Amino acid sequence: MSSDISYKNALKNRLESFAQGDNRQILSLENHIPFQVAVVSNLLSISRDPIIRSLTDLDTRELRILVNIGSYSPITASDIAYQTRLDPYSTTRAIAALIKKGLAQYVQGQEQTRSKPVELSEEGQSIYAKVTDHLQNREEKLLETLTSDEQSTLRQLLQKLEINAEAVLAKEVQYCESLGGSVTRDHKEIVRWHSRTTKKDT
């Protein structure tokens, strides 16, 4: 956005889309933070980026996990799921797909355990370099209207939101279980993530 005036105009146009109906709604979505976060997430989805799509034909989940492996390898599927908040089953399937396509591989010489560390192959590293170069350029453009202090504050607030969202969801799962309700494998994984997040140093 080139100026404060153009930002205000864009915001005015955006908010007008919510000024419909009789305005007696219980939930004001334009002020509902989870909704706002979800909308930004939808806009920034890798699947909507035409440049990313020109760099690789990997699906969104495979690409997200390729980037995670490239940034933190050697890394296990459980650690990837915890970092990305993707369900473990889909994470394992995506890793298997990357290995089948020759873009990732199990780390050689590692002890054969249930969750074996993976790393990118040479071809996977090439895709990773191209994709992350674009992602860094896109981040610069996305944040150019924010000051350094605003960027720092935004990162801190997003971290707080993530940790508290995990806590809220974990408590909801435990509450449903206490009532004898049905919870899925994904729900139980959130509780495990929360236990990991809140563990105390020994």
Side-chain angles (χ1 to χ4, degrees), residues 22-73:
D22 57 15
N23 290 321
R24 290 179 296 183
Q25 71 274 14
I26 296 174
L27 182 62
S28 176
L29 291 178
E30 69 271 26
N31 294 315
H32 184 62
I33 288 178
F35 176 81
Q36 292 176 312
V37 172
V39 167
V40 174
S41 177
N42 288 338
L43 284 172
L44 296 179
S45 172
I46 289 175
S47 64
R48 281 189 160 173
D49 190 318
I51 296 178
I52 291 286
R53 295 271 60 91
S54 71
L55 295 175
T56 177
D57 60 358
L58 293 174
D59 68 34
T60 302
R61 188 152 297 187
E62 291 169 356
L63 186 53
R64 285 184 65 185
I65 290 175
L66 180 139
V67 170
N68 242 77
I69 296 172
S71 295
Y72 301 105
S73 65

Side-chain angles (χ1 to χ4, degrees), residues 73-88:
S73 65
I75 186 170
T76 64
S78 61
D79 283 336
I80 293 173
Y82 178 66
Q83 287 181 356
T84 60
R85 307 302 192 166
L86 296 172
D87 69 89

